[in-house]
Amino acid sequence: MAGWLDEIEPLKQTALAELNSAPDAAALERAKGAWLGPHGRFTALMKQLGSLPKEERPAAGKAINAAKAELEAALAARREALEQLAAMPKHPTDFTLPGRRRALGRLHPLTQVIEDIVRAFRKIGFAVADGPEIEDEYHCFDALNTPADHPARDTQDTFYVDAPPNAPHPRFPTSTNRWLLRTHTSSVQIRVMQSQPPPVRIIVPGRVFRRDNADATHNPTFHQVEGLYVDRGVTVGDLKGTVEFVFKEIMGRDVRIRFRPHYFSYTEPSYEIDFSNPLVKKMGRDWLEIAGCGMVNPVVFENVGYDPEVWTGWAFGFGVERIAMLRYGINDIRLFYENDVRFLRQF
Ligand code: DAH
């Protein structure tokens, strides 16, 4: 019966070749059926064992089982290889192709303008200060010499809110002590002066809130940059020179500045700053109002514990949107807040 055993090895080789070269899962399953399935060749061999002489059966059974084990292993290996093949992309990657460019974001035009203003002020020794957007009435108004019955409050009597969680409860005897979204960055003047002795040289970029209806030039949320300079012997000349320097830095050499008398309760005297450049002329205007400013009112110094006989100072507040609109020729303030990339991409 040696001839019968001799047939196993070539049969196994044929089966292995078929399994290893099965082009896809279906072909592999067919090959498995043909060789190892209930009606497969090796199953048939197993069944024939019974017809062998008793003494030959163990050796033949062992040989068949060894061959079957080898085929099972080949089947599993091929199955895994085919699965990996199926998971691969149909079209091979071409690593010589240029990379996919990842779109880089950019800074919002308002951020760019704020950064330019900050950079200009840093050149002349100003530091950036910060304060809370949810503010108490005392810092926003009373300490700035604007008591509750002051008419200057009317335009800013605005978004009152409940006290923020964990807020210290302010109890200023002269104030009604409510909380609100700050209407200007001037509140930070008070906070800074309360927290440090003079001299002071700060600018405060920040977001402010007013009950304005949105139109082409107004929005209930906008941005300001506040400035405060306190030292001995400070004059309006310092103020004017500084403002002119900064506007030339951020808007170009052909800028002109004009001070027009105005009223703010926290400065005395007070001015509005008018601005002119070729773009303003193109808009058919000579001047555009762009900021408020003045010499710090001695009452404000008294409120923060600075001696008004020793210390003098000036302060100003710019609207950032105004400057950005002038700089980029934007005619509607609302464009800044829509986050339309077609708009933002241009800056
Ligand atoms: N707080 C004023 C406003 O929001 C702007 C302003 C005017 C700020 C005069 C100042 C100042 O510091 O001195 O309209």
Side-chain angles (χ1 to χ4, degrees), residues 156 183-184 186 189 210 224 226-227 264 266-267 292-294 315-317:
Q156 301 192 23
T183 57
H184 52 187
S186 303
Q189 288 187 30
R210 285 190 204 173
Q224 290 186 329
E226 192 82 11
F264 296 103
Y266 30 99
T267 45
C293 67
F316 66 78

Side-chain angles (χ1 to χ4, degrees), residues 272-341:
E272 272 195 335
I273 304 172
D274 289 343
F275 170 95
S276 184
N277 75 351
L279 190 70
V280 175
K281 293 264 196 266
K282 223 190 263 171
M283 292 160 61
R285 305 272 301 267
D286 281 336
W287 297 98
L288 216 60
E289 165 215 327
I290 202 151
C293 67
M295 301 304 291
V296 178
N297 192 320
V299 174
V300 174
F301 282 149
E302 270 163 17
N303 288 339
V304 297
Y306 285 10
D307 183 349
E309 294 302 325
V310 178
W311 302 104
T312 47
W314 50 249
F316 66 78
F318 300 159
V320 175
E321 278 80 350
R322 248 285 155 92
I323 294 174
M325 288 169 84
L326 270 176
R327 176 159 159 179
Y328 299 118
I330 295 164
N331 58 9
D332 194 321
I333 197 173
R334 290 165 292 194
L335 289 165
F336 289 124
Y337 317 111
E338 287 168 353
N339 281 341
D340 185 333
V341 287

Side-chain angles (χ1 to χ4, degrees), residues 43-282:
T43 317
L45 277 180
M46 231 23 188
K47 283 179 187 155
Q48 285 171 26
L49 271 184
S51 64
L52 287 181
K54 208 172 174 192
E55 61 279 10
E56 288 180 14
R57 284 182 208 160
K62 210 172 155 192
I64 295 169
N65 275 332
K68 277 182 79 174
E70 222 176 303
L71 294 182
E72 298 279 0
L75 173 72
R78 185 62 186 160
R79 195 174 271 153
E80 196 181 316
L82 283 175
E83 276 168 11
Q84 280 179 9
L85 217 60
M88 265 167 50
K90 285 255 173 350
H91 305 288
T93 309
D94 180 352
F95 291 104
T96 66
L97 287 174
R100 212 165 285 161
R101 196 175 290 273
R102 209 175 274 272
L104 258 194
R106 62 188 71 202
L107 296 177
H108 192 281
L110 292 178
T111 306
Q112 293 185 36
V113 168
I114 288 173
E115 288 195 348
D116 284 351
I117 295 172
V118 167
R119 203 173 296 128
F121 273 102
R122 275 196 198 282
K123 283 187 184 174
I124 50 175
F126 280 71
V128 173
D130 199 8
E133 289 178 356
I134 300 176
E135 187 53 281
D136 59 68
E137 237 176 324
Y138 178 76
H139 289 90
C140 203
F141 299 127
D142 301 271
L144 288 160
N145 195 32
T146 316
D149 58 357
H150 197 289
R153 273 215 199 183
D154 290 353
T155 55
Q156 301 192 23
D157 224 2
T158 181
F159 297 118
Y160 288 94
V161 294
D162 292 338
N166 308 323
H169 193 64
R171 274 282 151 238
F172 300 99
T174 54
S175 174
T176 38
N177 292 307
R178 288 174 296 174
W179 291 86
L180 75 164
L181 301 182
R182 70 178 177 198
T183 57
H184 52 187
T185 43
S186 303
S187 52
V188 186
Q189 288 187 30
I190 302 301
R191 291 193 172 271
V192 167
M193 286 192 283
Q194 283 175 333
S195 68
Q196 68 165 83
V200 177
R201 244 185 300 184
I202 51 146
I203 55 165
V204 184
R207 191 153 52 147
V208 301
F209 308 84
R210 285 190 204 173
R211 206 182 45 201
D212 275 337
N213 291 320
D215 61 24
T217 55
H218 295 87
N219 198 66
T221 306
F222 59 102
H223 298 78
Q224 290 186 329
V225 175
E226 192 82 11
L228 174 68
Y229 180 38
V230 181
D231 208 331
R232 293 183 165 88
V234 174
T235 69
V236 175
D238 298 322
L239 171 57
K240 200 164 180 195
T242 305
V243 168
E244 205 164 299
F245 165 77
V246 167
F247 272 101
K248 289 206 151 102
E249 283 282 305
I250 59 177
M251 303 294 275
R253 291 277 119 196
D254 46 9
V255 154
R256 286 199 303 147
I257 295 293
R258 177 175 83 171
F259 277 33
R260 192 163 29 76
H262 199 73
Y263 175 83
F264 296 103
S265 47
Y266 30 99
T267 45
E268 178 59 38
S270 304
Y271 309 94
E272 272 195 335
I273 304 172
D274 289 343
F275 170 95
S276 184
N277 75 351
L279 190 70
V280 175
K281 293 264 196 266
K282 223 190 263 171

